[in-house]
Amino acid sequence: MELGLTLVNERNETEIKEVLSYLFELALKYAKEGQENDTKRLIEYIKNIGKAAAIARLEPIVVNTLLLFPQVATEACKQNMQNALVSIALAFGEIGKAAAGQKMEVSARIASSCLGEMGNTAASRGAKKETIAVIFALGEIGKSVTWQKLGDVASSTVVLLGETGKAAASQKFEDAVLNAELLLQEIGTGAIEKNLKETADMSVRSIQDIGKTADIQGLDKALLQAAYSLEAIKFNAEDRYLMSASIIAEVALLHFERLKIERLEDKLNKISRGKKRSPGTGL
């Protein structure tokens, strides 16, 4: 890893690729053998080189690094190595966030796309820890691309985050769902600030879809958080005169009003013995 980082500083792309290839082969070997700790260690090494390459704006190296992880993830999944899969998800998030910070749209899109696939697979397998990691990583990329005003990537990342949140709701992973809603709220309000209309609109729609799934699954806290998040985005959209997001949020809130959200809030307050904090706080 130290050699790889030195080569990044020297911008020696040919030899960086050779180092990454060597680390990848080792990671794949350990994953096939079910050696989780060693696999995680190699994932960390590869991630550090990829992140350094992103900061150095060596996009071919960043893309190469991101494309190494899926094959390792496949083997880790076969061996039921959940901690290694969590490490891969977080690696995608860190590299994707760093790439977005340098306005590398291709790299950020690849990272979020790979995470979207991981999220759907994790939720369908009932892997809660991995699903939460994917949601967190997508949120980090989403916030970064929004801040950099990379509208197309931001919108696609929001869609992937929304889909993973819905999949988590279907599996009744309420902690994961709450995180997804809060991250979408943060991205949505950031998109309003940056005047990214499509991203703001997609954030609202994604929260609405997650809330509906939460309602079907009886996830009361997640349902209430969806309403809170929509209210927050609606308020910010009105404040910034971004009327499309405001209208979409208002229409979405009509659905939740029919579910008697106020009664639900009273019910949850009684359950929490009067604790004054909204769902998702402290996750």
Side-chain angles (χ1 to χ4, degrees), residues 113-169:
S113 178
C114 290
L115 282 166
E117 290 185 25
M118 283 190 76
N120 287 329
T121 303
S124 65
R125 286 178 22 247
K128 182 178 179 180
K129 191 175 179 181
E130 184 185 340
T131 304
I132 291 173
V134 167
I135 285 171
F136 173 80
L138 280 170
E140 289 298 290
I141 295 173
K143 287 186 287 184
S144 187
V145 292
T146 299
W147 182 256
Q148 294 296 337
K149 299 186 73 172
L150 304 178
D152 289 344
V153 187
S155 295
S156 62
T157 302
V158 162
V159 170
L160 292 168
L161 179 53
E163 288 175 352
T164 306
K166 279 177 61 180

Side-chain angles (χ1 to χ4, degrees), residues 58-60 62-63 66 95-96 99-100 104-112:
L58 298 174
E59 188 157 32
V62 180
V63 171
L66 291 168
I95 296 172
M104 296 180 184
E105 294 190 42
V106 173
S107 296
R109 192 183 295 276
I110 290 171
S112 61

Side-chain angles (χ1 to χ4, degrees), residues 172-245:
K172 297 187 177 182
F173 297 159
E174 193 159 33
D175 288 355
V177 179
L178 289 166
N179 279 328
E181 290 169 334
L182 288 165
L183 286 165
L184 284 166
Q185 175 186 329
E186 190 173 352
I187 294 168
T189 53
I192 290 166
E193 182 179 340
K194 295 294 183 179
N195 201 35
L196 299 177
K197 296 180 181 180
E198 183 181 353
T199 303
D201 293 352
M202 292 307 304
S203 298
V204 172
R205 291 192 176 101
S206 294
I207 293 168
Q208 181 184 17
D209 289 344
I210 293 172
K212 287 180 177 179
T213 306
D215 179 32
I216 293 168
Q217 296 297 331
L219 304 178
D220 289 346
K221 288 183 180 180
L223 175 58
L224 190 56
Q225 182 60 58
Y228 285 163
S229 293
L230 288 170
E231 284 279 10
I233 292 177
K234 178 175 177 288
F235 175 81
N236 279 276
E238 289 174 348
D239 191 50
R240 293 273 181 168
Y241 300 101
L242 198 64
M243 297 315 296
S244 60

Side-chain angles (χ1 to χ4, degrees), residues 25-74:
E25 292 297 335
L26 276 179
L28 199 60
K29 173 178 178 291
Y30 290 139
K32 287 179 178 179
E33 294 173 355
Q35 298 184 50
E36 188 162 31
N37 288 336
D38 287 327
T39 303
K40 284 176 60 183
R41 178 166 50 85
L42 269 297
I43 291 166
E44 186 74 10
Y45 293 168
I46 294 169
K47 178 203 76 177
N48 287 339
I49 294 172
K51 188 175 175 181
I55 294 168
R57 297 189 59 79
L58 298 174
E59 188 157 32
I61 298 299
V62 180
V63 171
N64 182 68
T65 304
L66 291 168
L67 295 178
L68 296 176
F69 290 126
Q71 196 171 342
V72 180
T74 298

